[in-house]
mmCIF file with all atom_site columns, all heavy atoms in Angstrom:
data_model
loop_
_atom_site.group_PDB
_atom_site.id
_atom_site.type_symbol
_atom_site.label_atom_id
_atom_site.label_alt_id
_atom_site.label_comp_id
_atom_site.label_asym_id
_atom_site.label_entity_id
_atom_site.label_seq_id
_atom_site.pdbx_PDB_ins_code
_atom_site.Cartn_x
_atom_site.Cartn_y
_atom_site.Cartn_z
_atom_site.occupancy
_atom_site.B_iso_or_equiv
_atom_site.pdbx_formal_charge
_atom_site.auth_seq_id
_atom_site.auth_comp_id
_atom_site.auth_asym_id
_atom_site.auth_atom_id
_atom_site.pdbx_PDB_model_num
ATOM 1  N N   . ALA H 1 16  ? -123.899 124.485 168.776 1.00 98.00 ? 1239 ALA H N   1
ATOM 2  C CA  . ALA H 1 16  ? -125.153 124.236 169.493 1.00 98.00 ? 1239 ALA H CA  1
ATOM 3  C C   . ALA H 1 16  ? -125.856 125.550 169.817 1.00 98.00 ? 1239 ALA H C   1
ATOM 4  O O   . ALA H 1 16  ? -127.086 125.659 169.685 1.00 98.00 ? 1239 ALA H O   1
ATOM 5  C CB  . ALA H 1 16  ? -124.883 123.445 170.778 1.00 98.00 ? 1239 ALA H CB  1
ATOM 6  N N   . ALA H 1 21  ? -130.217 129.316 168.616 1.00 98.00 ? 1244 ALA H N   1
ATOM 7  C CA  . ALA H 1 21  ? -130.687 130.650 168.214 1.00 98.00 ? 1244 ALA H CA  1
ATOM 8  C C   . ALA H 1 21  ? -131.518 130.569 166.939 1.00 98.00 ? 1244 ALA H C   1
ATOM 9  O O   . ALA H 1 21  ? -132.575 131.216 166.826 1.00 98.00 ? 1244 ALA H O   1
ATOM 10 C CB  . ALA H 1 21  ? -129.497 131.585 168.022 1.00 98.00 ? 1244 ALA H CB  1
ATOM 11 N N   . MET H 1 31  ? -144.919 131.643 165.665 1.00 95.00 ? 1254 MET H N   1
ATOM 12 C CA  . MET H 1 31  ? -145.918 132.279 166.528 1.00 95.00 ? 1254 MET H CA  1
ATOM 13 C C   . MET H 1 31  ? -146.451 133.555 165.884 1.00 95.00 ? 1254 MET H C   1
ATOM 14 O O   . MET H 1 31  ? -147.662 133.803 165.908 1.00 95.00 ? 1254 MET H O   1
ATOM 15 C CB  . MET H 1 31  ? -145.326 132.574 167.910 1.00 95.00 ? 1254 MET H CB  1
ATOM 16 C CG  . MET H 1 31  ? -145.124 131.319 168.744 1.00 95.00 ? 1254 MET H CG  1
ATOM 17 S SD  . MET H 1 31  ? -144.658 131.657 170.454 1.00 95.00 ? 1254 MET H SD  1
ATOM 18 C CE  . MET H 1 31  ? -143.011 132.314 170.280 1.00 95.00 ? 1254 MET H CE  1
ATOM 19 N N   . GLY H 1 38  ? -145.052 123.779 158.141 1.00 88.00 ? 1261 GLY H N   1
ATOM 20 C CA  . GLY H 1 38  ? -144.723 124.388 156.867 1.00 88.00 ? 1261 GLY H CA  1
ATOM 21 C C   . GLY H 1 38  ? -144.420 125.863 157.036 1.00 88.00 ? 1261 GLY H C   1
ATOM 22 O O   . GLY H 1 38  ? -144.172 126.347 158.142 1.00 88.00 ? 1261 GLY H O   1
ATOM 23 N N   . VAL H 1 47  ? -137.305 131.065 154.793 1.00 96.00 ? 1270 VAL H N   1
ATOM 24 C CA  . VAL H 1 47  ? -135.861 131.298 154.875 1.00 96.00 ? 1270 VAL H CA  1
ATOM 25 C C   . VAL H 1 47  ? -135.325 130.838 156.229 1.00 96.00 ? 1270 VAL H C   1
ATOM 26 O O   . VAL H 1 47  ? -134.274 130.188 156.305 1.00 96.00 ? 1270 VAL H O   1
ATOM 27 C CB  . VAL H 1 47  ? -135.530 132.793 154.629 1.00 96.00 ? 1270 VAL H CB  1
ATOM 28 C CG1 . VAL H 1 47  ? -134.079 133.101 154.960 1.00 96.00 ? 1270 VAL H CG1 1
ATOM 29 C CG2 . VAL H 1 47  ? -135.843 133.169 153.185 1.00 96.00 ? 1270 VAL H CG2 1
ATOM 30 N N   . GLY H 1 53  ? -132.315 124.373 158.972 1.00 97.00 ? 1276 GLY H N   1
ATOM 31 C CA  . GLY H 1 53  ? -132.127 123.013 158.470 1.00 97.00 ? 1276 GLY H CA  1
ATOM 32 C C   . GLY H 1 53  ? -130.770 122.807 157.830 1.00 97.00 ? 1276 GLY H C   1
ATOM 33 O O   . GLY H 1 53  ? -130.090 121.806 158.086 1.00 97.00 ? 1276 GLY H O   1
ATOM 34 N N   . GLU H 1 57  ? -127.867 120.292 159.118 1.00 97.00 ? 1280 GLU H N   1
ATOM 35 C CA  . GLU H 1 57  ? -127.337 119.248 158.232 1.00 97.00 ? 1280 GLU H CA  1
ATOM 36 C C   . GLU H 1 57  ? -125.813 119.296 158.155 1.00 97.00 ? 1280 GLU H C   1
ATOM 37 O O   . GLU H 1 57  ? -125.141 118.265 158.257 1.00 97.00 ? 1280 GLU H O   1
ATOM 38 C CB  . GLU H 1 57  ? -127.912 119.419 156.823 1.00 97.00 ? 1280 GLU H CB  1
ATOM 39 C CG  . GLU H 1 57  ? -129.387 119.153 156.713 1.00 97.00 ? 1280 GLU H CG  1
ATOM 40 C CD  . GLU H 1 57  ? -129.992 119.727 155.431 1.00 97.00 ? 1280 GLU H CD  1
ATOM 41 O OE1 . GLU H 1 57  ? -129.231 120.230 154.569 1.00 97.00 ? 1280 GLU H OE1 1
ATOM 42 O OE2 . GLU H 1 57  ? -131.224 119.680 155.298 1.00 97.00 ? 1280 GLU H OE2 1
ATOM 43 N N   . LEU H 1 60  ? -123.953 118.529 161.712 1.00 97.00 ? 1283 LEU H N   1
ATOM 44 C CA  . LEU H 1 60  ? -123.936 117.137 162.184 1.00 97.00 ? 1283 LEU H CA  1
ATOM 45 C C   . LEU H 1 60  ? -122.728 116.382 161.637 1.00 97.00 ? 1283 LEU H C   1
ATOM 46 O O   . LEU H 1 60  ? -121.991 115.741 162.394 1.00 97.00 ? 1283 LEU H O   1
ATOM 47 C CB  . LEU H 1 60  ? -125.224 116.417 161.801 1.00 97.00 ? 1283 LEU H CB  1
ATOM 48 C CG  . LEU H 1 60  ? -126.445 116.778 162.633 1.00 97.00 ? 1283 LEU H CG  1
ATOM 49 C CD1 . LEU H 1 60  ? -127.696 116.140 162.050 1.00 97.00 ? 1283 LEU H CD1 1
ATOM 50 C CD2 . LEU H 1 60  ? -126.250 116.347 164.070 1.00 97.00 ? 1283 LEU H CD2 1
ATOM 51 N N   . VAL H 1 66  ? -115.122 116.170 163.667 1.00 96.00 ? 1289 VAL H N   1
ATOM 52 C CA  . VAL H 1 66  ? -114.311 116.839 164.687 1.00 96.00 ? 1289 VAL H CA  1
ATOM 53 C C   . VAL H 1 66  ? -114.119 115.944 165.912 1.00 96.00 ? 1289 VAL H C   1
ATOM 54 O O   . VAL H 1 66  ? -113.013 115.866 166.469 1.00 96.00 ? 1289 VAL H O   1
ATOM 55 C CB  . VAL H 1 66  ? -114.949 118.198 165.065 1.00 96.00 ? 1289 VAL H CB  1
ATOM 56 C CG1 . VAL H 1 66  ? -114.366 118.761 166.335 1.00 96.00 ? 1289 VAL H CG1 1
ATOM 57 C CG2 . VAL H 1 66  ? -114.778 119.183 163.930 1.00 96.00 ? 1289 VAL H CG2 1
ATOM 58 N N   . ALA H 1 68  ? -114.174 112.670 165.968 1.00 95.00 ? 1291 ALA H N   1
ATOM 59 C CA  . ALA H 1 68  ? -113.254 111.601 165.579 1.00 95.00 ? 1291 ALA H CA  1
ATOM 60 C C   . ALA H 1 68  ? -111.821 112.121 165.515 1.00 95.00 ? 1291 ALA H C   1
ATOM 61 O O   . ALA H 1 68  ? -110.882 111.445 165.951 1.00 95.00 ? 1291 ALA H O   1
ATOM 62 C CB  . ALA H 1 68  ? -113.676 111.006 164.233 1.00 95.00 ? 1291 ALA H CB  1
ATOM 63 N N   . ALA H 1 82  ? -107.874 125.505 163.247 1.00 97.00 ? 1305 ALA H N   1
ATOM 64 C CA  . ALA H 1 82  ? -108.059 126.282 162.011 1.00 97.00 ? 1305 ALA H CA  1
ATOM 65 C C   . ALA H 1 82  ? -109.314 125.841 161.262 1.00 97.00 ? 1305 ALA H C   1
ATOM 66 O O   . ALA H 1 82  ? -110.129 126.678 160.848 1.00 97.00 ? 1305 ALA H O   1
ATOM 67 C CB  . ALA H 1 82  ? -106.834 126.149 161.117 1.00 97.00 ? 1305 ALA H CB  1
ATOM 68 N N   . LEU H 1 112 ? -117.239 127.325 151.453 1.00 98.00 ? 1335 LEU H N   1
ATOM 69 C CA  . LEU H 1 112 ? -116.247 127.243 152.519 1.00 98.00 ? 1335 LEU H CA  1
ATOM 70 C C   . LEU H 1 112 ? -116.613 126.161 153.537 1.00 98.00 ? 1335 LEU H C   1
ATOM 71 O O   . LEU H 1 112 ? -115.742 125.436 154.031 1.00 98.00 ? 1335 LEU H O   1
ATOM 72 C CB  . LEU H 1 112 ? -116.109 128.610 153.205 1.00 98.00 ? 1335 LEU H CB  1
ATOM 73 C CG  . LEU H 1 112 ? -114.957 128.782 154.174 1.00 98.00 ? 1335 LEU H CG  1
ATOM 74 C CD1 . LEU H 1 112 ? -113.623 128.453 153.521 1.00 98.00 ? 1335 LEU H CD1 1
ATOM 75 C CD2 . LEU H 1 112 ? -114.948 130.202 154.710 1.00 98.00 ? 1335 LEU H CD2 1
#
Side-chain angles (χ1 to χ4, degrees):
M1254 288 188 291
V1270 170
E1280 292 163 6
L1283 284 173
V1289 166
L1335 190 55

